[in-house]
Amino acid sequence: MEEQSVGRQVIHPIIRAVILGGIAFYIARLQLTGHLTLYIAPRMTIYVKLAAIALYGVAVVQIYQAFKLWNGKEDDCGCEHPPSPSLIRNILVYGLFIVPLAVSIFTPDTTIGSAMAAQKGMTLSTSGSIKMKEKNA
């Protein structure tokens, strides 16, 4: 293989490992800061934590694949999985994962306040919804 084609083949597993590791890191950060329940139900936290561990594992496998390709070893499965040669397609596909991940990491984890909810037309208290029903009746 040429050096340039090896570099192009190696970059894809590295990008995938970074994306998977980033998602797992984000889940771990949410758990450590106590903000995980802002996004998911408390009963589901154990499954999300297990998914984060699995994502770390898959990221390690992707790094292993990159090292195998860098050293010139072929895939063991006997089938080919070539990445798309189109740069635009690769940017779009990886961007589908990178953009939401970047937005979620760089924006604050907060709940919607009652003042903001009132501006949006939402009622967060049960007494407010009862009063609204009485006014409409």
PDB file of all heavy atoms in Angstrom, residues 49-88:
ATOM      1  N   LYS A  49     -25.039   4.287  31.690  1.00  0.00           N
ATOM      2  CA  LYS A  49     -23.667   4.072  32.183  1.00  0.00           C
ATOM      3  C   LYS A  49     -23.043   2.850  31.523  1.00  0.00           C
ATOM      4  O   LYS A  49     -21.857   2.875  31.133  1.00  0.00           O
ATOM      5  CB  LYS A  49     -23.667   3.907  33.701  1.00  0.00           C
ATOM      6  CG  LYS A  49     -24.024   5.151  34.464  1.00  0.00           C
ATOM      7  CD  LYS A  49     -24.080   4.820  35.950  1.00  0.00           C
ATOM      8  CE  LYS A  49     -24.839   5.850  36.722  1.00  0.00           C
ATOM      9  NZ  LYS A  49     -24.986   5.476  38.139  1.00  0.00           N
ATOM     10  N   LEU A  50     -23.813   1.778  31.396  1.00  0.00           N
ATOM     11  CA  LEU A  50     -23.304   0.583  30.716  1.00  0.00           C
ATOM     12  C   LEU A  50     -23.020   0.867  29.240  1.00  0.00           C
ATOM     13  O   LEU A  50     -22.037   0.362  28.685  1.00  0.00           O
ATOM     14  CB  LEU A  50     -24.302  -0.565  30.853  1.00  0.00           C
ATOM     15  CG  LEU A  50     -24.460  -1.141  32.261  1.00  0.00           C
ATOM     16  CD1 LEU A  50     -25.590  -2.151  32.297  1.00  0.00           C
ATOM     17  CD2 LEU A  50     -23.169  -1.761  32.748  1.00  0.00           C
ATOM     18  N   ALA A  51     -23.853   1.691  28.623  1.00  0.00           N
ATOM     19  CA  ALA A  51     -23.612   2.065  27.227  1.00  0.00           C
ATOM     20  C   ALA A  51     -22.324   2.873  27.102  1.00  0.00           C
ATOM     21  O   ALA A  51     -21.587   2.714  26.128  1.00  0.00           O
ATOM     22  CB  ALA A  51     -24.791   2.860  26.686  1.00  0.00           C
ATOM     23  N   ALA A  52     -22.039   3.732  28.088  1.00  0.00           N
ATOM     24  CA  ALA A  52     -20.799   4.505  28.056  1.00  0.00           C
ATOM     25  C   ALA A  52     -19.584   3.580  28.144  1.00  0.00           C
ATOM     26  O   ALA A  52     -18.593   3.782  27.431  1.00  0.00           O
ATOM     27  CB  ALA A  52     -20.779   5.521  29.193  1.00  0.00           C
ATOM     28  N   ILE A  53     -19.670   2.574  28.984  1.00  0.00           N
ATOM     29  CA  ILE A  53     -18.562   1.608  29.092  1.00  0.00           C
ATOM     30  C   ILE A  53     -18.383   0.869  27.761  1.00  0.00           C
ATOM     31  O   ILE A  53     -17.251   0.672  27.290  1.00  0.00           O
ATOM     32  CB  ILE A  53     -18.821   0.623  30.248  1.00  0.00           C
ATOM     33  CG1 ILE A  53     -18.747   1.368  31.589  1.00  0.00           C
ATOM     34  CG2 ILE A  53     -17.824  -0.533  30.223  1.00  0.00           C
ATOM     35  CD1 ILE A  53     -19.223   0.560  32.771  1.00  0.00           C
ATOM     36  N   ALA A  54     -19.499   0.478  27.138  1.00  0.00           N
ATOM     37  CA  ALA A  54     -19.423  -0.203  25.838  1.00  0.00           C
ATOM     38  C   ALA A  54     -18.838   0.723  24.779  1.00  0.00           C
ATOM     39  O   ALA A  54     -18.043   0.282  23.937  1.00  0.00           O
ATOM     40  CB  ALA A  54     -20.806  -0.686  25.421  1.00  0.00           C
ATOM     41  N   LEU A  55     -19.194   2.012  24.817  1.00  0.00           N
ATOM     42  CA  LEU A  55     -18.644   2.963  23.845  1.00  0.00           C
ATOM     43  C   LEU A  55     -17.138   3.117  24.017  1.00  0.00           C
ATOM     44  O   LEU A  55     -16.408   3.230  23.032  1.00  0.00           O
ATOM     45  CB  LEU A  55     -19.335   4.316  23.976  1.00  0.00           C
ATOM     46  CG  LEU A  55     -20.764   4.385  23.456  1.00  0.00           C
ATOM     47  CD1 LEU A  55     -21.392   5.721  23.812  1.00  0.00           C
ATOM     48  CD2 LEU A  55     -20.803   4.160  21.967  1.00  0.00           C
ATOM     49  N   TYR A  56     -16.670   3.155  25.271  1.00  0.00           N
ATOM     50  CA  TYR A  56     -15.221   3.189  25.505  1.00  0.00           C
ATOM     51  C   TYR A  56     -14.558   1.950  24.900  1.00  0.00           C
ATOM     52  O   TYR A  56     -13.500   2.036  24.276  1.00  0.00           O
ATOM     53  CB  TYR A  56     -14.897   3.257  26.992  1.00  0.00           C
ATOM     54  CG  TYR A  56     -14.942   4.631  27.585  1.00  0.00           C
ATOM     55  CD1 TYR A  56     -15.692   4.895  28.723  1.00  0.00           C
ATOM     56  CD2 TYR A  56     -14.214   5.682  27.036  1.00  0.00           C
ATOM     57  CE1 TYR A  56     -15.741   6.159  29.285  1.00  0.00           C
ATOM     58  CE2 TYR A  56     -14.247   6.952  27.586  1.00  0.00           C
ATOM     59  CZ  TYR A  56     -15.008   7.177  28.709  1.00  0.00           C
ATOM     60  OH  TYR A  56     -15.042   8.429  29.263  1.00  0.00           O
ATOM     61  N   GLY A  57     -15.183   0.785  25.075  1.00  0.00           N
ATOM     62  CA  GLY A  57     -14.634  -0.452  24.520  1.00  0.00           C
ATOM     63  C   GLY A  57     -14.563  -0.423  23.004  1.00  0.00           C
ATOM     64  O   GLY A  57     -13.562  -0.817  22.408  1.00  0.00           O
ATOM     65  N   VAL A  58     -15.613   0.053  22.370  1.00  0.00           N
ATOM     66  CA  VAL A  58     -15.632   0.126  20.904  1.00  0.00           C
ATOM     67  C   VAL A  58     -14.608   1.155  20.411  1.00  0.00           C
ATOM     68  O   VAL A  58     -13.968   0.960  19.372  1.00  0.00           O
ATOM     69  CB  VAL A  58     -17.051   0.442  20.383  1.00  0.00           C
ATOM     70  CG1 VAL A  58     -17.055   0.634  18.881  1.00  0.00           C
ATOM     71  CG2 VAL A  58     -18.015  -0.660  20.775  1.00  0.00           C
ATOM     72  N   ALA A  59     -14.414   2.234  21.161  1.00  0.00           N
ATOM     73  CA  ALA A  59     -13.393   3.222  20.794  1.00  0.00           C
ATOM     74  C   ALA A  59     -12.000   2.595  20.849  1.00  0.00           C
ATOM     75  O   ALA A  59     -11.165   2.855  19.971  1.00  0.00           O
ATOM     76  CB  ALA A  59     -13.472   4.431  21.718  1.00  0.00           C
ATOM     77  N   VAL A  60     -11.759   1.763  21.844  1.00  0.00           N
ATOM     78  CA  VAL A  60     -10.463   1.075  21.939  1.00  0.00           C
ATOM     79  C   VAL A  60     -10.277   0.128  20.747  1.00  0.00           C
ATOM     80  O   VAL A  60      -9.181   0.038  20.177  1.00  0.00           O
ATOM     81  CB  VAL A  60     -10.348   0.324  23.282  1.00  0.00           C
ATOM     82  CG1 VAL A  60      -9.162  -0.618  23.304  1.00  0.00           C
ATOM     83  CG2 VAL A  60     -10.265   1.311  24.435  1.00  0.00           C
ATOM     84  N   VAL A  61     -11.342  -0.553  20.353  1.00  0.00           N
ATOM     85  CA  VAL A  61     -11.266  -1.450  19.189  1.00  0.00           C
ATOM     86  C   VAL A  61     -10.951  -0.648  17.929  1.00  0.00           C
ATOM     87  O   VAL A  61     -10.164  -1.085  17.081  1.00  0.00           O
ATOM     88  CB  VAL A  61     -12.577  -2.255  19.035  1.00  0.00           C
ATOM     89  CG1 VAL A  61     -12.628  -2.977  17.706  1.00  0.00           C
ATOM     90  CG2 VAL A  61     -12.730  -3.238  20.173  1.00  0.00           C
ATOM     91  N   GLN A  62     -11.544   0.536  17.789  1.00  0.00           N
ATOM     92  CA  GLN A  62     -11.264   1.378  16.625  1.00  0.00           C
ATOM     93  C   GLN A  62      -9.796   1.828  16.608  1.00  0.00           C
ATOM     94  O   GLN A  62      -9.173   1.868  15.548  1.00  0.00           O
ATOM     95  CB  GLN A  62     -12.190   2.596  16.609  1.00  0.00           C
ATOM     96  CG  GLN A  62     -13.622   2.268  16.267  1.00  0.00           C
ATOM     97  CD  GLN A  62     -13.768   1.768  14.851  1.00  0.00           C
ATOM     98  OE1 GLN A  62     -13.193   2.310  13.907  1.00  0.00           O
ATOM     99  NE2 GLN A  62     -14.538   0.705  14.695  1.00  0.00           N
ATOM    100  N   ILE A  63      -9.262   2.162  17.764  1.00  0.00           N
ATOM    101  CA  ILE A  63      -7.840   2.535  17.834  1.00  0.00           C
ATOM    102  C   ILE A  63      -6.964   1.339  17.467  1.00  0.00           C
ATOM    103  O   ILE A  63      -5.965   1.482  16.752  1.00  0.00           O
ATOM    104  CB  ILE A  63      -7.499   3.096  19.222  1.00  0.00           C
ATOM    105  CG1 ILE A  63      -8.195   4.449  19.410  1.00  0.00           C
ATOM    106  CG2 ILE A  63      -6.001   3.225  19.424  1.00  0.00           C
ATOM    107  CD1 ILE A  63      -8.094   5.022  20.799  1.00  0.00           C
ATOM    108  N   TYR A  64      -7.352   0.157  17.930  1.00  0.00           N
ATOM    109  CA  TYR A  64      -6.627  -1.061  17.568  1.00  0.00           C
ATOM    110  C   TYR A  64      -6.660  -1.281  16.055  1.00  0.00           C
ATOM    111  O   TYR A  64      -5.643  -1.635  15.445  1.00  0.00           O
ATOM    112  CB  TYR A  64      -7.223  -2.261  18.319  1.00  0.00           C
ATOM    113  CG  TYR A  64      -6.643  -3.582  17.910  1.00  0.00           C
ATOM    114  CD1 TYR A  64      -5.343  -3.931  18.271  1.00  0.00           C
ATOM    115  CD2 TYR A  64      -7.383  -4.494  17.172  1.00  0.00           C
ATOM    116  CE1 TYR A  64      -4.803  -5.139  17.888  1.00  0.00           C
ATOM    117  CE2 TYR A  64      -6.857  -5.704  16.797  1.00  0.00           C
ATOM    118  CZ  TYR A  64      -5.565  -6.024  17.152  1.00  0.00           C
ATOM    119  OH  TYR A  64      -5.034  -7.223  16.774  1.00  0.00           O
ATOM    120  N   GLN A  65      -7.821  -1.044  15.441  1.00  0.00           N
ATOM    121  CA  GLN A  65      -7.927  -1.171  13.989  1.00  0.00           C
ATOM    122  C   GLN A  65      -7.000  -0.180  13.285  1.00  0.00           C
ATOM    123  O   GLN A  65      -6.371  -0.500  12.278  1.00  0.00           O
ATOM    124  CB  GLN A  65      -9.372  -0.917  13.540  1.00  0.00           C
ATOM    125  CG  GLN A  65     -10.343  -2.017  13.886  1.00  0.00           C
ATOM    126  CD  GLN A  65     -10.137  -3.238  13.021  1.00  0.00           C
ATOM    127  OE1 GLN A  65      -9.626  -3.159  11.913  1.00  0.00           O
ATOM    128  NE2 GLN A  65     -10.529  -4.382  13.557  1.00  0.00           N
ATOM    129  N   ALA A  66      -6.917   1.037  13.811  1.00  0.00           N
ATOM    130  CA  ALA A  66      -6.040   2.048  13.212  1.00  0.00           C
ATOM    131  C   ALA A  66      -4.580   1.610  13.295  1.00  0.00           C
ATOM    132  O   ALA A  66      -3.821   1.767  12.331  1.00  0.00           O
ATOM    133  CB  ALA A  66      -6.237   3.390  13.912  1.00  0.00           C
ATOM    134  N   PHE A  67      -4.171   1.053  14.438  1.00  0.00           N
ATOM    135  CA  PHE A  67      -2.789   0.579  14.570  1.00  0.00           C
ATOM    136  C   PHE A  67      -2.515  -0.585  13.624  1.00  0.00           C
ATOM    137  O   PHE A  67      -1.431  -0.680  13.044  1.00  0.00           O
ATOM    138  CB  PHE A  67      -2.478   0.167  16.009  1.00  0.00           C
ATOM    139  CG  PHE A  67      -2.157   1.316  16.905  1.00  0.00           C
ATOM    140  CD1 PHE A  67      -2.875   1.516  18.069  1.00  0.00           C
ATOM    141  CD2 PHE A  67      -1.141   2.204  16.605  1.00  0.00           C
ATOM    142  CE1 PHE A  67      -2.588   2.575  18.906  1.00  0.00           C
ATOM    143  CE2 PHE A  67      -0.844   3.266  17.426  1.00  0.00           C
ATOM    144  CZ  PHE A  67      -1.580   3.457  18.580  1.00  0.00           C
ATOM    145  N   LYS A  68      -3.480  -1.470  13.460  1.00  0.00           N
ATOM    146  CA  LYS A  68      -3.302  -2.577  12.518  1.00  0.00           C
ATOM    147  C   LYS A  68      -3.130  -2.063  11.099  1.00  0.00           C
ATOM    148  O   LYS A  68      -2.271  -2.538  10.359  1.00  0.00           O
ATOM    149  CB  LYS A  68      -4.498  -3.534  12.588  1.00  0.00           C
ATOM    150  CG  LYS A  68      -4.399  -4.542  13.686  1.00  0.00           C
ATOM    151  CD  LYS A  68      -5.565  -5.500  13.758  1.00  0.00           C
ATOM    152  CE  LYS A  68      -6.148  -5.919  12.472  1.00  0.00           C
ATOM    153  NZ  LYS A  68      -7.257  -6.885  12.600  1.00  0.00           N
ATOM    154  N   LEU A  69      -3.947  -1.098  10.712  1.00  0.00           N
ATOM    155  CA  LEU A  69      -3.823  -0.535   9.365  1.00  0.00           C
ATOM    156  C   LEU A  69      -2.505   0.215   9.202  1.00  0.00           C
ATOM    157  O   LEU A  69      -1.895   0.186   8.137  1.00  0.00           O
ATOM    158  CB  LEU A  69      -5.002   0.391   9.067  1.00  0.00           C
ATOM    159  CG  LEU A  69      -6.343  -0.290   8.826  1.00  0.00           C
ATOM    160  CD1 LEU A  69      -7.460   0.732   8.790  1.00  0.00           C
ATOM    161  CD2 LEU A  69      -6.304  -1.087   7.530  1.00  0.00           C
ATOM    162  N   TRP A  70      -2.079   0.916  10.230  1.00  0.00           N
ATOM    163  CA  TRP A  70      -0.824   1.671  10.174  1.00  0.00           C
ATOM    164  C   TRP A  70       0.363   0.735   9.976  1.00  0.00           C
ATOM    165  O   TRP A  70       1.311   1.066   9.270  1.00  0.00           O
ATOM    166  CB  TRP A  70      -0.661   2.480  11.452  1.00  0.00           C
ATOM    167  CG  TRP A  70       0.530   3.368  11.422  1.00  0.00           C
ATOM    168  CD1 TRP A  70       1.752   3.137  11.992  1.00  0.00           C
ATOM    169  CD2 TRP A  70       0.646   4.626  10.766  1.00  0.00           C
ATOM    170  NE1 TRP A  70       2.595   4.171  11.737  1.00  0.00           N
ATOM    171  CE2 TRP A  70       1.944   5.110  10.985  1.00  0.00           C
ATOM    172  CE3 TRP A  70      -0.228   5.399  10.014  1.00  0.00           C
ATOM    173  CZ2 TRP A  70       2.387   6.320  10.470  1.00  0.00           C
ATOM    174  CZ3 TRP A  70       0.214   6.606   9.524  1.00  0.00           C
ATOM    175  CH2 TRP A  70       1.506   7.055   9.756  1.00  0.00           C
ATOM    176  N   ASN A  71       0.299  -0.435  10.611  1.00  0.00           N
ATOM    177  CA  ASN A  71       1.387  -1.407  10.488  1.00  0.00           C
ATOM    178  C   ASN A  71       1.285  -2.247   9.224  1.00  0.00           C
ATOM    179  O   ASN A  71       2.130  -3.103   8.978  1.00  0.00           O
ATOM    180  CB  ASN A  71       1.419  -2.326  11.708  1.00  0.00           C
ATOM    181  CG  ASN A  71       1.873  -1.590  12.943  1.00  0.00           C
ATOM    182  OD1 ASN A  71       2.658  -0.644  12.862  1.00  0.00           O
ATOM    183  ND2 ASN A  71       1.366  -2.008  14.092  1.00  0.00           N
ATOM    184  N   GLY A  72       0.247  -2.029   8.424  1.00  0.00           N
ATOM    185  CA  GLY A  72       0.128  -2.720   7.144  1.00  0.00           C
ATOM    186  C   GLY A  72      -0.534  -4.073   7.227  1.00  0.00           C
ATOM    187  O   GLY A  72      -0.521  -4.825   6.256  1.00  0.00           O
ATOM    188  N   LYS A  73      -1.124  -4.411   8.349  1.00  0.00           N
ATOM    189  CA  LYS A  73      -1.807  -5.700   8.461  1.00  0.00           C
ATOM    190  C   LYS A  73      -3.217  -5.570   7.900  1.00  0.00           C
ATOM    191  O   LYS A  73      -3.889  -4.575   8.107  1.00  0.00           O
ATOM    192  CB  LYS A  73      -1.866  -6.152   9.919  1.00  0.00           C
ATOM    193  CG  LYS A  73      -0.498  -6.414  10.491  1.00  0.00           C
ATOM    194  CD  LYS A  73      -0.587  -6.876  11.907  1.00  0.00           C
ATOM    195  CE  LYS A  73       0.810  -7.092  12.462  1.00  0.00           C
ATOM    196  NZ  LYS A  73       0.798  -7.430  13.866  1.00  0.00           N
ATOM    197  N   GLU A  74      -3.649  -6.595   7.194  1.00  0.00           N
ATOM    198  CA  GLU A  74      -4.976  -6.597   6.588  1.00  0.00           C
ATOM    199  C   GLU A  74      -6.018  -6.970   7.635  1.00  0.00           C
ATOM    200  O   GLU A  74      -5.708  -7.497   8.694  1.00  0.00           O
ATOM    201  CB  GLU A  74      -5.021  -7.592   5.424  1.00  0.00           C
ATOM    202  CG  GLU A  74      -4.125  -7.216   4.276  1.00  0.00           C
ATOM    203  CD  GLU A  74      -4.564  -5.948   3.571  1.00  0.00           C
ATOM    204  OE1 GLU A  74      -5.779  -5.720   3.462  1.00  0.00           O
ATOM    205  OE2 GLU A  74      -3.689  -5.181   3.156  1.00  0.00           O
ATOM    206  N   ASP A  75      -7.290  -6.717   7.290  1.00  0.00           N
ATOM    207  CA  ASP A  75      -8.394  -7.077   8.164  1.00  0.00           C
ATOM    208  C   ASP A  75      -8.511  -8.593   8.242  1.00  0.00           C
ATOM    209  O   ASP A  75      -8.327  -9.299   7.256  1.00  0.00           O
ATOM    210  CB  ASP A  75      -9.691  -6.491   7.610  1.00  0.00           C
ATOM    211  CG  ASP A  75     -10.436  -5.685   8.642  1.00  0.00           C
ATOM    212  OD1 ASP A  75     -10.008  -5.675   9.797  1.00  0.00           O
ATOM    213  OD2 ASP A  75     -11.454  -5.073   8.269  1.00  0.00           O
ATOM    214  N   ASP A  76      -8.822  -9.117   9.415  1.00  0.00           N
ATOM    215  CA  ASP A  76      -8.901 -10.556   9.619  1.00  0.00           C
ATOM    216  C   ASP A  76     -10.198 -11.169   9.102  1.00  0.00           C
ATOM    217  O   ASP A  76     -10.286 -12.365   8.919  1.00  0.00           O
ATOM    218  CB  ASP A  76      -8.765 -10.884  11.106  1.00  0.00           C
ATOM    219  CG  ASP A  76      -7.404 -10.516  11.655  1.00  0.00           C
ATOM    220  OD1 ASP A  76      -6.425 -10.541  10.894  1.00  0.00           O
ATOM    221  OD2 ASP A  76      -7.325 -10.223  12.855  1.00  0.00           O
ATOM    222  N   CYS A  77     -11.209 -10.354   8.884  1.00  0.00           N
ATOM    223  CA  CYS A  77     -12.525 -10.911   8.541  1.00  0.00           C
ATOM    224  C   CYS A  77     -12.598 -11.386   7.093  1.00  0.00           C
ATOM    225  O   CYS A  77     -13.523 -12.108   6.737  1.00  0.00           O
ATOM    226  CB  CYS A  77     -13.633  -9.905   8.836  1.00  0.00           C
ATOM    227  SG  CYS A  77     -13.637  -8.471   7.760  1.00  0.00           S
ATOM    228  N   GLY A  78     -11.682 -10.990   6.246  1.00  0.00           N
ATOM    229  CA  GLY A  78     -11.692 -11.436   4.871  1.00  0.00           C
ATOM    230  C   GLY A  78     -12.638 -10.655   3.976  1.00  0.00           C
ATOM    231  O   GLY A  78     -12.840 -11.016   2.826  1.00  0.00           O
ATOM    232  N   CYS A  79     -13.236  -9.627   4.503  1.00  0.00           N
ATOM    233  CA  CYS A  79     -14.118  -8.790   3.699  1.00  0.00           C
ATOM    234  C   CYS A  79     -13.621  -7.353   3.760  1.00  0.00           C
ATOM    235  O   CYS A  79     -12.908  -6.977   4.677  1.00  0.00           O
ATOM    236  CB  CYS A  79     -15.558  -8.872   4.201  1.00  0.00           C
ATOM    237  SG  CYS A  79     -15.737  -8.516   5.938  1.00  0.00           S
ATOM    238  N   GLU A  80     -13.980  -6.586   2.775  1.00  0.00           N
ATOM    239  CA  GLU A  80     -13.494  -5.211   2.734  1.00  0.00           C
ATOM    240  C   GLU A  80     -14.570  -4.259   3.226  1.00  0.00           C
ATOM    241  O   GLU A  80     -15.750  -4.440   2.950  1.00  0.00           O
ATOM    242  CB  GLU A  80     -13.101  -4.849   1.307  1.00  0.00           C
ATOM    243  CG  GLU A  80     -11.899  -5.617   0.823  1.00  0.00           C
ATOM    244  CD  GLU A  80     -11.427  -5.116  -0.518  1.00  0.00           C
ATOM    245  OE1 GLU A  80     -11.661  -3.940  -0.831  1.00  0.00           O
ATOM    246  OE2 GLU A  80     -10.835  -5.910  -1.257  1.00  0.00           O
ATOM    247  N   HIS A  81     -14.148  -3.249   3.966  1.00  0.00           N
ATOM    248  CA  HIS A  81     -15.028  -2.196   4.454  1.00  0.00           C
ATOM    249  C   HIS A  81     -14.400  -0.851   4.135  1.00  0.00           C
ATOM    250  O   HIS A  81     -14.027  -0.106   5.034  1.00  0.00           O
ATOM    251  CB  HIS A  81     -15.233  -2.310   5.968  1.00  0.00           C
ATOM    252  CG  HIS A  81     -15.721  -3.642   6.412  1.00  0.00           C
ATOM    253  ND1 HIS A  81     -17.015  -4.043   6.228  1.00  0.00           N
ATOM    254  CD2 HIS A  81     -15.089  -4.669   7.030  1.00  0.00           C
ATOM    255  CE1 HIS A  81     -17.162  -5.264   6.719  1.00  0.00           C
ATOM    256  NE2 HIS A  81     -16.007  -5.662   7.206  1.00  0.00           N
ATOM    257  N   PRO A  82     -14.271  -0.540   2.854  1.00  0.00           N
ATOM    258  CA  PRO A  82     -13.585   0.715   2.527  1.00  0.00           C
ATOM    259  C   PRO A  82     -14.453   1.925   2.854  1.00  0.00           C
ATOM    260  O   PRO A  82     -15.669   1.902   2.638  1.00  0.00           O
ATOM    261  CB  PRO A  82     -13.337   0.610   1.022  1.00  0.00           C
ATOM    262  CG  PRO A  82     -14.435  -0.273   0.540  1.00  0.00           C
ATOM    263  CD  PRO A  82     -14.691  -1.250   1.657  1.00  0.00           C
ATOM    264  N   PRO A  83     -13.852   2.967   3.394  1.00  0.00           N
ATOM    265  CA  PRO A  83     -14.610   4.202   3.619  1.00  0.00           C
ATOM    266  C   PRO A  83     -14.901   4.879   2.292  1.00  0.00           C
ATOM    267  O   PRO A  83     -14.263   4.614   1.279  1.00  0.00           O
ATOM    268  CB  PRO A  83     -13.681   5.051   4.488  1.00  0.00           C
ATOM    269  CG  PRO A  83     -12.330   4.510   4.234  1.00  0.00           C
ATOM    270  CD  PRO A  83     -12.494   3.057   3.881  1.00  0.00           C
ATOM    271  N   SER A  84     -15.861   5.763   2.308  1.00  0.00           N
ATOM    272  CA  SER A  84     -16.238   6.475   1.090  1.00  0.00           C
ATOM    273  C   SER A  84     -15.077   7.344   0.618  1.00  0.00           C
ATOM    274  O   SER A  84     -14.421   8.008   1.417  1.00  0.00           O
ATOM    275  CB  SER A  84     -17.457   7.349   1.362  1.00  0.00           C
ATOM    276  OG  SER A  84     -17.746   8.141   0.246  1.00  0.00           O
ATOM    277  N   PRO A  85     -14.798   7.372  -0.665  1.00  0.00           N
ATOM    278  CA  PRO A  85     -13.717   8.224  -1.158  1.00  0.00           C
ATOM    279  C   PRO A  85     -14.106   9.701  -1.220  1.00  0.00           C
ATOM    280  O   PRO A  85     -13.250  10.568  -1.362  1.00  0.00           O
ATOM    281  CB  PRO A  85     -13.439   7.678  -2.555  1.00  0.00           C
ATOM    282  CG  PRO A  85     -14.707   7.022  -2.969  1.00  0.00           C
ATOM    283  CD  PRO A  85     -15.349   6.519  -1.711  1.00  0.00           C
ATOM    284  N   SER A  86     -15.389  10.007  -1.076  1.00  0.00           N
ATOM    285  CA  SER A  86     -15.869  11.378  -1.177  1.00  0.00           C
ATOM    286  C   SER A  86     -15.619  12.135   0.127  1.00  0.00           C
ATOM    287  O   SER A  86     -16.101  11.739   1.193  1.00  0.00           O
ATOM    288  CB  SER A  86     -17.364  11.385  -1.493  1.00  0.00           C
ATOM    289  OG  SER A  86     -17.880  12.688  -1.375  1.00  0.00           O
ATOM    290  N   LEU A  87     -14.879  13.232   0.039  1.00  0.00           N
ATOM    291  CA  LEU A  87     -14.591  14.046   1.219  1.00  0.00           C
ATOM    292  C   LEU A  87     -15.855  14.697   1.762  1.00  0.00           C
ATOM    293  O   LEU A  87     -16.065  14.729   2.983  1.00  0.00           O
ATOM    294  CB  LEU A  87     -13.548  15.113   0.873  1.00  0.00           C
ATOM    295  CG  LEU A  87     -13.154  16.050   2.010  1.00  0.00           C
ATOM    296  CD1 LEU A  87     -12.471  15.286   3.126  1.00  0.00           C
ATOM    297  CD2 LEU A  87     -12.273  17.164   1.485  1.00  0.00           C
ATOM    298  N   ILE A  88     -16.729  15.149   0.887  1.00  0.00           N
ATOM    299  CA  ILE A  88     -17.965  15.808   1.321  1.00  0.00           C
ATOM    300  C   ILE A  88     -18.859  14.821   2.065  1.00  0.00           C
ATOM    301  O   ILE A  88     -19.427  15.147   3.103  1.00  0.00           O
ATOM    302  CB  ILE A  88     -18.691  16.428   0.113  1.00  0.00           C
ATOM    303  CG1 ILE A  88     -17.846  17.567  -0.457  1.00  0.00           C
ATOM    304  CG2 ILE A  88     -20.074  16.919   0.495  1.00  0.00           C
ATOM    305  CD1 ILE A  88     -18.359  18.124  -1.757  1.00  0.00           C
TER     306      ILE A  88
END
